[in-house]
Amino acid sequence: VLTGDDEDEELYSTEDCEFAAKKRKKDHFRNNTDSQCKTGLWIYVHKESTRERHGYCTLGEAFNRLDFSSAIQDIRRFNYVVKLLQLIAKSQLTSLSGAAQKNYFNILDKIVRKVMEDQYNPRLIKDLLQDLSSTLCILIRGVGKSVLVGNINIWICRLETILLWQQQLKNLQMNKQVNNGLTLSDLPLHMLNNILYRFSDGWDIITLGQVTPTLYMLSEDRQLWKKLCQYHFAEKQFCRHLIPSEKGHIDWKLMYFALQKYYPIKEQYGDTLHFCRHCSILFWKDTGHPCTASDPNTCLMPVSPQHFIDLFKF
């Protein structure tokens, strides 16, 4: 509206310029955000449509953008990614888009190759493949309900590939190490005992105990298994599943595996995804994100694999 008043025109022009400047700044930030998002470093987790953002952030979208292919090359993140893939295999496979499902199996292929080459934590991968094959067998039977994305023959081929991977891991032979000096067996007993007390997984203790008779003796220590139970489980949970030995003592080793069937154990990872409560952004901590908070560190929260899945349940 033109009033003919010079002052009004100048005021209108100033306000208009300020509005345009703010809009340009906002668009620039959003465009910069979207371009960085596509690099797979971080992603907005928005659960509802807004004026600025339309639609929802899905599990498949996050899985595609967070660069898990590179993450498995980092030993700190390897177990985290494998656990995440296992949780998806158990219940969320059909939540992935066709592109995300393809990406899932590509990452899985890289994981199996890495394990075959580096022989790193094959037990963890065996558990993942077992859960995935069980899920696919159930889903393939229900193909008439359109629960799978893509041709049924593709999924049958994928299942056959999984069975092949399982056979390869079953036949995996550990490379014999060349002794060039001191070995694990040369360490004094108290150091070997300290090593066993550093483990947070019962199966790792059992595996190490199979190396030498001395390690087996140390791995059967009642106090070791008691500490492991106390680390993972609450005292109330002990009372519900007491397992006394023949001598009347509590068999803490059996107790650990009994409790593991009923309650989740604490998970430890070298590195995890993080969530910024201020920006609603999911990201790898090393890469960071464009946080607008005055003190970003107070807004960060580590995200466990299960929490990652829960973020996308609407």
Side-chain angles (χ1 to χ4, degrees):
V1 178
L2 298 179
T3 62
D5 190 328
D6 292 340
E7 292 183 2
D8 288 343
E9 286 184 10
E10 184 178 354
L11 179 62
Y12 178 81
S13 177
T14 301
E15 291 177 349
D16 192 39
C17 288
E18 289 178 355
F19 175 79
K22 289 181 180 179
K23 187 176 185 303
R24 283 196 302 270
K25 185 177 180 181
K26 189 175 183 181
D27 290 341
H28 174 74
F29 177 78
R30 184 163 60 244
N31 292 336
N32 186 48
T33 294
D34 291 339
S35 64
Q36 291 187 43
C37 237
K38 293 178 181 177
T39 64
L41 301 180
W42 49 267
I43 186 172
Y44 275 105
V45 181
H46 47 102
K47 296 188 175 183
E48 59 183 11
S49 297
T50 63
R51 186 172 59 181
E52 292 82 11
R53 292 190 165 272
H54 301 285
Y56 299 86
C57 178
T58 65
L59 175 64
E61 187 179 3
F63 189 81
N64 283 338
R65 289 188 179 182
L66 288 170
D67 197 15
F68 291 111
S69 292
S70 298
I72 62 173
Q73 304 304 324
D74 188 333
I75 194 170
R76 300 170 304 159
R77 299 174 179 174
F78 182 84
N79 289 3
Y80 181 89
V81 176
V82 172
K83 182 63 177 180
L84 178 58
L85 263 63
Q86 186 176 17
L87 291 176
I88 291 175
K90 286 181 177 180
S91 61
Q92 300 297 318
L93 195 60
T94 55
S95 299
L96 300 179
S97 64
Q101 288 175 356
K102 185 177 180 180
N103 187 25
Y104 179 98
F105 282 94
N106 286 338
I107 294 172
L108 186 57
D109 179 55
K110 293 178 181 179
I111 288 175
V112 174
R113 290 184 185 181
K114 181 177 177 61
V115 172
M116 296 298 295
E117 293 172 2
D118 301 344
Q119 301 175 346
Y120 178 74
N121 210 342
R123 178 174 55 82
L124 190 63
I125 314 307
K126 289 178 182 178
D127 291 343
L128 164 60
L129 293 178
Q130 180 59 45
D131 289 335
L132 183 57
S133 61
S134 299
T135 299
L136 282 185
C137 286
I138 295 172
L139 293 178
I140 288 175
R141 293 193 196 103
V143 70
K145 301 177 182 179
S146 301
V147 294
L148 295 173
V149 178
N151 190 289
I152 182 60
N153 294 323
I154 295 176
W155 287 96
I156 292 175
C157 289
R158 285 173 175 170
L159 181 57
E160 291 174 350
T161 301
I162 292 169
L163 297 176
L164 176 62
W165 286 337
Q166 288 177 309
Q167 189 61 42
Q168 290 174 343
L169 290 171
K170 184 178 180 181
N171 298 331
L172 179 63
Q173 297 293 326
M174 295 296 178
N175 294 332
K176 201 167 185 181
Q177 300 295 323
V178 178
N179 295 331
N180 294 320
L182 290 176
T183 65
L184 188 65
S185 302
D186 297 319
L187 296 176
L189 286 178
H190 74 277
M191 292 186 69
L192 292 175
N193 203 43
N194 284 338
I195 291 173
L196 284 165
Y197 270 82
R198 303 296 180 190
F199 285 103
S200 62
D201 188 295
W203 283 111
D204 290 335
I205 293 175
I206 290 177
T207 301
L208 186 58
Q210 295 172 350
V211 176
T212 66
T214 300
L215 285 169
Y216 175 76
M217 176 193 68
L218 294 174
S219 69
E220 292 294 311
D221 180 39
R222 289 180 63 251
Q223 192 65 23
L224 171 65
W225 289 97
K226 180 179 180 180
K227 290 287 186 183
L228 194 63
C229 287
Q230 291 174 336
Y231 173 75
H232 286 291
F233 309 106
E235 188 174 348
K236 291 181 180 180
Q237 296 169 338
F238 297 159
C239 299
R240 298 173 187 170
H241 304 279
L242 287 175
I243 304 177
S245 63
E246 295 178 358
K247 297 180 180 180
H249 302 297
I250 296 176
D251 192 326
W252 291 103
K253 182 178 178 180
L254 289 178
M255 173 79 81
Y256 169 82
F257 289 104
L259 292 171
Q260 194 179 40
K261 295 179 181 178
Y262 298 99
Y263 310 104
I265 63 174
K266 291 182 181 179
E267 299 174 354
Q268 290 184 332
Y269 302 103
D271 191 17
T272 70
L273 287 169
H274 279 65
F275 181 73
C276 178
R277 293 187 293 267
H278 177 78
C279 305
S280 297
I281 287 180
L282 190 64
F283 65 102
W284 291 107
K285 191 174 182 181
D286 286 352
T287 60
H289 75 286
C291 188
T292 57
S294 56
D295 187 2
N297 290 331
T298 61
C299 306
L300 303 187
M301 177 179 64
V303 176
S304 69
Q306 184 59 58
H307 186 194
F308 178 91
I309 299 293
D310 294 339
L311 281 173
F312 302 97
K313 288 182 179 179
F314 304 124

